Amino acid sequence: MGAFLIKDIMLLLRDRSELLILLAMPFLLIAILGFSLRGIFSGDLEALEMDIALVSQGDEAQAVASLQNEIEEMGLPPGETQALKQAAESASPQTMLVSLLEDESLSELVTIERMSRAEAQESLDEETVDAVITLPQGFTEDSLRNMLFGESKSGELELLVADLSSPQTDVLKSILNEFVRTVNFEASISRLSGQQSATEVFGGIETITARQPITSFQYYTIGMAVMFVLFVGSTIAGQANLEQKQMVFDRIRLSNRPPLLYLSSKAIAAAAIVSVQLTLLFGLSALLFQAFAADSWAFWSGIAIISIVLALSVGCLAALMVAITLRLESDAVPAIFSGGVISLMAFVGGSFMPLDGMPEMLRAIGNWTPNGAALSAYFSWLLEPELGQLTGPLLRIAVVAVIFLLLALAIFPRKGGAA
Amino acid sequence: MLETQQLTKKFKDTIAVDDVSLVLRQGESVGLLGPNGAGKSTAIAMISTLMKPSSGDVKLNGKSVLKKPGEMRRVLGVVPQKIALYEELSAYENLKFFGRLYGLSGNELEQRIDYVLELVGLADRKKELVKNYSGGMQRRVNLAAAMMHEPEVLIMDEPTVGIDPQSRNHLLETIRKLNQDEGMTVLYTSHYMEEVEKLCDRVYIMDHGKVIAEGTKEELKAILSDQETVLIDFDQNYPELFTKLSEIEGVQQATAEEHSLKLIIPKGTRLLAALFHEAERYGAQVVNVNVQTPTLEDVFLRLTGRKLRD
Ligand SMILES: Nc1ncnc2c1ncn2[C@@H]1O[C@H](COP(=O)(O)OP(=O)(O)OP(=O)(O)O)[C@@H](O)[C@H]1O
Ligand SMILES: [Mg+2]
């Protein structure tokens, strides 16, 4: 077994064009796609810097004061009156919006400047600001009312942007949506604040935490990695074909080693190559593009688990391709696979772009490709490092791998006898 | 120790090997001679357990190897017609790989590699990649690889095709040594008569999948014992004269080659008078007349009416 493995690895190391395809190409693509498509992924923060003008048309202090007066006149017990007045002051939506935009995670991206409506419009025209957020007359009061008394009319924000289709706009919109959601959420909490069940509701906050977004470098590191590991299948099957053509395969048969040893060493060689490939791609991407936080042991161990499962499945795929190649005595299989099937699999697996908008059917197929399933495993780990999330995709990979392996065993020409 | 019984291989539209029965005795050196497409390689593939016969059997020490090829594979060293080596690896790396397949390792492996490299005279160039070797050197490594597991029988399929005279002599000398000094049993396939004549005790001649003659060199030549070969050199080519001469009564075989003509005639045929008479008529000058005992080439020619190589 060792002899086979060493030989296969040596052959690969001497084959410069294969090495280029397996290692240099994906890395190049990660670099190109990662840089050029920076900004289409919500996590690409640095590309999203923006200057925002904040226009407040109402008088917030006055709105709060008049609301507090109203509370006074409602004739509630003194304790509750006090609590509501407190809430009205601290839950001021404008303050909340500003603190949201100036939040640690956004502060590097967003600069806010308060302006009058006219100033803001001018700056937008001159493109010194990217967007104008306007809190119209009555916004504060409306939202506070909504918050405190559950009155139906909620405040409406106005967003003016220079470029409607820019990624910045998308991000800003999603931030504002988040804000509106928060305001509504705060509203329900404020309303409940006097009651016993408050803590229970607080328990729900966690489910609302926004997910960490994915950057283009993360996306393409994973996309290209799961795509290019497939090429290992072609490489290994190509080697087997060459061995058959050059008749070294006959020599191997003459050595009377169990034929399955040959097949399994091909599978293991493929898995080993894939492991190296993934280590290099993730490692380089983390080091050169800062695509991943390089220091989290827990994070990397999850990536390693997914990678190992993926590597083993490619091993099974390689075994299947080797079996077919030897049976057909032709290199058609590796050629067709690397010439088209891989691109197809990469596409339905979501290596090139997210499949969100694609037909259900396509996504279902993609989910069952080893690369597609691995991709979703990586992403879900990236978004939420929870082992439970991985079982689904990893199980799919395993099922497909076992099918590959069984097919390989069925097809492999067992030339133990004088076949 | 090794024999085939009515070995036959049919492909879709050809019978590549047809009812071939060979015997290889311990320590013998046997030649398998035949022109292109005679079925030599196919026969060897079946003997070496790489191909299933359509019918017939291959036996090693009386036991069929078809069901259990293990023992045969251990005993056999096969040198295929093609270079069966990893081109991207060096000779040393190739031999190491094949040696390890046979379970060799460590010192034993290194010593064996040194031995076979010495045998084929490539010890000093073992680190070079096989693809950078000359054709002759590749052939030598091809032999070395078959020798890694100390086989008792060496089967060679045209091991000297397309190589320079120096490598060829080296190879032939190596094989001769293995056979005569180390008692290795050899089955040597070729379409070069000289090689077989030089190396082999016994010869099988194949054509169109069939064995058409067998025996020691002497026995085979005895087929022509009542005949002799006359080689006549002229000063130039005379096609019409050559035709005329080949029609002389008693001539059994005539082959023209540029300035010379080879005739196989029954012993005692009175050829010379007629020869000079005709030469005179065509104004041709006879440079040399040589009466030879027949070669295996002549035997083949006589048996098939064709030359071994075209
Ligand atoms: N796999 C195959 N399928 C079909 N026909 C084959 C196959 N292998 C060999 N043949 C045919 O069988 C015949 C014998 O071929 P073989 O290679 O055994 O001849 P050979 O004596 O080794 O010739 P050469 O001197 O050219 O090596 C040829 O007519 C060849 O075309
Ligand atoms: Mg041949």
Side-chain angles (χ1 to χ4, degrees):
Chain A
M1 179 74 100
F4 282 118
L5 280 180
I6 293 171
K7 175 261 304 169
D8 281 340
I9 305 285
M10 268 199 316
L11 286 177
L12 180 71
L13 290 179
R14 301 248 162 105
D15 192 339
R16 210 160 308 152
S17 62
E18 285 295 338
L19 278 183
L20 278 177
I21 291 181
L22 294 183
L23 295 175
M25 270 256 277
F27 190 68
L28 208 70
L29 283 170
I30 292 169
I32 294 172
L33 292 171
F35 273 117
S36 62
L37 297 180
R38 210 146 52 134
I40 72 160
F41 294 93
S42 54
D44 293 311
L45 299 178
E46 59 277 36
L48 296 175
E49 283 173 21
M50 50 191 156
D51 298 311
I52 298 171
L54 186 64
V55 178
S56 178
Q57 291 182 318
D59 184 334
E60 198 184 27
Q62 198 205 315
V64 172
S66 84
L67 213 67
Q68 283 176 333
N69 273 338
E70 219 171 294
I71 294 169
E72 199 82 48
E73 286 158 16
M74 282 165 82
L76 296 165
E80 266 187 48
T81 308
Q82 201 51 40
L84 277 177
K85 279 166 77 175
Q86 196 74 44
E89 188 151 356
S90 61
S92 147
Q94 189 175 336
T95 321
M96 279 170 60
L97 177 60
V98 172
S99 69
L100 178 70
L101 289 174
E102 286 177 344
D103 179 79
E104 203 182 336
S105 64
L106 290 174
S107 61
E108 284 171 23
L109 306 175
V110 179
T111 49
I112 304 173
E113 212 177 323
R114 283 163 208 274
M115 298 184 188
S116 73
R117 173 101 195 171
E119 275 176 319
Q121 187 62 53
E122 200 174 314
S123 306
L124 193 65
D125 292 342
E126 287 169 3
E127 293 185 26
T128 52
V129 299
D130 300 301
V132 178
I133 298 173
T134 306
L135 306 175
Q137 188 93 47
F139 175 80
T140 304
E141 191 166 343
D142 287 344
S143 353
L144 277 177
R145 276 184 190 285
N146 181 30
M147 225 180 259
L148 298 174
F149 313 129
E151 283 172 13
S152 59
K153 203 172 146 211
S154 66
E156 274 182 15
L157 277 175
E158 186 188 302
L159 175 65
L160 269 179
V161 289
D163 178 1
L164 195 63
S165 63
S166 80
Q168 279 102 323
T169 304
D170 288 338
V171 174
L172 194 55
K173 267 197 229 160
S174 68
I175 291 174
L176 290 180
N177 279 333
E178 188 74 11
F179 167 67
V180 171
R181 242 188 358 167
T182 315
V183 168
N184 289 334
F185 179 68
E186 295 268 336
S188 56
I189 291 175
S190 293
R191 253 174 285 135
L192 287 165
S193 63
Q195 297 170 22
Q196 299 289 322
S197 56
T199 42
E200 270 172 47
V201 178
F202 267 108
I205 286 182
E206 258 184 336
T207 61
I208 290 177
T209 47
R211 295 184 144 194
Q212 280 280 192
I214 287 175
T215 70
S216 62
F217 275 113
Q218 291 173 332
Y219 193 93
Y220 286 114
T221 300
I222 292 169
M224 292 302 107
V226 299
M227 171 178 178
F228 277 82
V229 294
L230 297 177
F231 279 99
V232 174
S234 272
T235 304
I236 293 288
Q239 271 182 8
N241 179 246
L242 204 63
E243 286 180 321
Q244 193 175 38
K245 252 195 247 162
Q246 293 182 341
M247 317 233 326
V248 271
F249 188 61
D250 280 346
R251 265 205 212 283
I252 292 170
R253 284 169 60 200
L254 284 171
S255 76
N256 218 23
R257 299 262 106 187
L260 281 182
L261 200 65
Y262 175 83
L263 188 66
S264 43
S265 77
K266 285 275 182 249
I268 292 172
I273 295 166
V274 169
S275 308
V276 172
Q277 220 183 353
L278 290 173
T279 307
L280 284 177
L281 288 179
F282 276 101
L284 283 177
S285 223
L287 289 178
L288 297 182
F289 304 137
Q290 274 84 45
F292 306 96
D295 54 357
S296 161
W297 193 86
F299 170 75
W300 285 114
S301 56
I303 296 287
I305 291 172
I306 303 168
S307 300
I308 289 168
V309 174
L310 177 62
L312 291 177
S313 80
V314 176
C316 296
L317 172 69
L320 175 59
M321 291 178 62
V322 167
I324 301 175
T325 299
L326 292 179
R327 178 50 72 92
L328 295 181
E329 301 190 7
S330 117
D331 65 352
V333 170
I336 293 172
F337 192 69
S338 62
V341 176
I342 288 180
S343 309
L344 220 65
M345 285 172 75
F347 177 75
V348 299
S351 276
F352 292 110
M353 53 182 166
L355 290 179
D356 299 338
M358 297 290 159
E360 193 56 41
M361 173 75 178
L362 214 60
R363 284 161 63 184
I365 296 174
N367 262 335
W368 279 94
T369 59
N371 54 311
L375 183 116
S376 59
Y378 281 125
F379 282 163
S380 82
W381 183 255
L382 208 55
L383 294 169
E384 211 166 338
E386 220 179 274
L387 280 177
Q389 303 264 25
L390 298 183
T391 40
L394 292 191
L395 209 64
R396 287 200 298 274
I397 300 179
V399 167
V400 173
V402 168
I403 293 174
F404 284 162
L405 193 63
L406 292 178
L407 281 176
L409 292 177
I411 293 169
F412 183 64
R414 238 163 282 219
K415 291 177 172 171
Chain B
M1 68 184 299
L2 198 162
E3 61 179 318
T4 71
Q5 296 175 334
Q6 282 115 48
L7 201 57
T8 301
K9 183 72 188 182
K10 294 189 178 108
F11 293 115
K12 267 178 225 105
D13 35 41
T14 41
I15 302 182
V17 173
D18 193 357
D19 200 22
V20 166
S21 300
L22 308 174
V23 181
L24 215 59
R25 296 186 199 96
Q26 179 107 40
E28 234 184 352
S29 168
V30 173
L32 184 58
L33 204 58
N36 289 124
K40 305 181 296 289
S41 296
T42 308
I44 284 185
M46 289 187 286
I47 294 171
S48 52
T49 74
L50 289 173
M51 189 188 280
K52 224 189 204 95
S54 307
S55 65
D57 205 348
V58 179
K59 287 185 171 172
L60 178 67
N61 297 324
K63 275 182 267 172
S64 172
V65 303
L66 296 186
K67 291 271 156 51
K68 288 189 174 164
E71 178 63 11
M72 183 67 136
R73 289 179 177 177
R74 199 189 57 70
V75 165
L76 275 195
V78 181
V79 182
Q81 185 169 1
K82 277 200 191 164
I83 309 289
L85 299 166
Y86 291 101
E87 294 187 353
E88 300 292 330
L89 301 183
S90 68
Y92 173 80
E93 289 161 345
N94 266 287
L95 295 176
K96 190 163 186 169
F97 170 65
F98 292 119
R100 290 187 65 184
L101 287 192
Y102 283 102
L104 297 174
S105 63
N107 238 352
E108 200 188 357
L109 175 60
E110 296 298 331
Q111 277 170 8
R112 190 65 197 170
I113 294 174
D114 287 346
Y115 169 77
V116 294
L117 280 172
E118 202 62 52
L119 190 71
V120 297
L122 281 176
D124 50 340
R125 304 194 56 179
K126 61 179 181 181
K127 299 277 185 205
E128 289 171 45
L129 297 190
V130 166
K131 67 172 175 186
N132 296 336
Y133 282 151
S134 72
M137 289 162 69
Q138 291 180 345
R139 291 257 162 221
R140 291 199 241 166
V141 184
N142 208 26
L143 169 62
M147 293 289 300
M148 279 304 290
H149 62 296
E150 305 186 45
E152 295 166 33
V153 182
L154 197 57
I155 296 195
M156 281 170 284
D157 194 354
E158 308 199 29
T160 57
V161 170
I163 74 178
D164 54 293
Q166 195 193 341
S167 280
R168 179 176 176 161
N169 285 336
H170 190 286
L171 213 69
L172 291 176
E173 191 49 35
T174 307
I175 297 163
R176 203 192 53 76
K177 260 194 288 186
L178 283 172
N179 173 239
Q180 296 191 345
D181 303 350
E182 318 219 343
M184 185 174 280
T185 311
V186 171
L187 178 62
Y188 188 93
T189 303
S190 179
H191 53 213
Y192 290 103
M193 281 303 170
E194 318 84 85
E195 293 180 353
V196 172
E197 284 212 61
K198 190 169 162 190
L199 278 178
C200 304
D201 313 324
R202 246 165 12 93
V203 182
Y204 291 89
I205 298 180
M206 274 186 86
D207 192 27
H208 295 306
K210 285 195 164 72
V211 170
I212 53 173
E214 63 157 300
T216 62
K217 282 179 278 190
E218 290 69 30
E219 283 167 351
L220 284 175
K221 287 177 189 171
I223 297 175
L224 299 182
S225 62
D226 53 346
Q227 286 155 342
E228 52 194 13
T229 305
V230 184
L231 190 69
I232 314 151
D233 295 331
F234 294 90
D235 60 331
Q236 64 183 80
N237 197 349
Y238 298 96
E240 286 175 32
L241 170 60
F242 289 1
T243 316
K244 195 86 190 166
L245 289 175
S246 57
E247 284 162 2
I248 291 177
E249 210 190 304
V251 172
Q252 290 171 333
Q253 202 79 52
T255 343
E257 229 166 73
E258 284 197 46
H259 296 182
S260 60
L261 183 70
K262 189 195 238 179
L263 300 175
I264 296 177
I265 51 172
K267 270 187 178 152
T269 306
R270 302 177 69 98
L271 180 74
L272 291 185
L275 165 66
F276 285 111
H277 177 70
E278 292 295 340
E280 188 83 46
R281 273 186 51 197
Y282 284 85
Q285 200 169 349
V286 176
V287 179
N288 189 13
V289 177
N290 195 347
V291 180
Q292 303 170 324
T293 49
T295 63
L296 287 180
E297 184 96 41
D298 300 326
V299 174
F300 186 79
L301 197 63
R302 179 73 186 84
L303 290 172
T304 65
R306 290 182 293 122
K307 291 209 288 181
L308 260 173
R309 274 164 287 149
D310 320 294

